[in-house]
Amino acid sequence: MFLCSLMRRLFPTAQPGTQGGADRIQQVDPQTAIQWQAKDEAVIVDVREPHEHAAGHIPGAILNPLSQFDPSRVPADPGKHLVFHCQGGMRCGPAAERMLAAGHTGTVNRLRGGFAAWADAGGPVER
């Protein structure tokens, strides 16, 4: 029992059924995230690589690539929704897990479908 507890502390995860915070990683649909951004109710973090971000990105998104992800570069704003996105919705999961492992106590919202879904839903894009 002690070994399991120690392993959870050393290697926190956000997998379902663990104490890592799976309940604090949520999926958010593009329409909701677009509304949050329009009302200035979201901090949006782009975990894609710089060349992807340069090709097109969500206005105001903070670039923090998964390959170099640094939780300390994510601004803490308890009054806003924290939204991570990548291109298609896969890379933001590991970034969210790293954020929780670093001690973030709030919810991390993963943009369902990523940047592609955001653009398809009519969200603003800067190029």
Side-chain angles (χ1 to χ4, degrees), residues 47-50 52 64-70 91 95 98:
V47 301
R48 299 176 302 158
E49 295 303 310
E52 294 172 288
N64 195 349
L66 179 62
S67 63
Q68 305 167 13
F69 187 77
D70 181 357
R91 287 176 278 181
R98 290 183 193 179

Side-chain angles (χ1 to χ4, degrees), residues 7-83:
M7 291 301 284
R8 270 191 234 112
R9 286 178 184 234
L10 290 174
F11 303 105
T13 64
Q15 300 301 318
T18 70
Q19 295 177 352
D23 59 324
R24 292 187 291 123
I25 298 176
Q26 304 291 321
Q27 293 273 336
V28 62
D29 62 86
Q31 294 79 10
T32 300
I34 290 167
Q35 290 173 357
W36 288 344
Q37 188 218 30
K39 296 177 183 175
D40 195 29
E41 295 177 352
V43 171
I44 300 177
V45 179
D46 184 345
V47 301
R48 299 176 302 158
E49 295 303 310
H51 70 277
E52 294 172 288
H53 183 84
H57 58 272
I58 297 171
I62 298 163
L63 180 60
N64 195 349
L66 179 62
S67 63
Q68 305 167 13
F69 187 77
D70 181 357
S72 70
R73 292 189 52 233
V74 177
D77 191 337
K80 293 187 178 186
H81 301 280
L82 179 57
V83 180

Side-chain angles (χ1 to χ4, degrees), residues 77-125:
D77 191 337
K80 293 187 178 186
H81 301 280
L82 179 57
V83 180
F84 283 10
H85 85 85
C86 54
Q87 186 62 33
M90 299 302 293
R91 287 176 278 181
C92 57
E97 291 175 2
R98 290 183 193 179
M99 193 70 192
L100 294 183
H104 180 73
T105 58
T107 299
V108 179
N109 296 282
R110 295 177 54 193
L111 181 60
R112 184 178 296 121
F115 180 72
W118 171 278
D120 288 347
V125 173

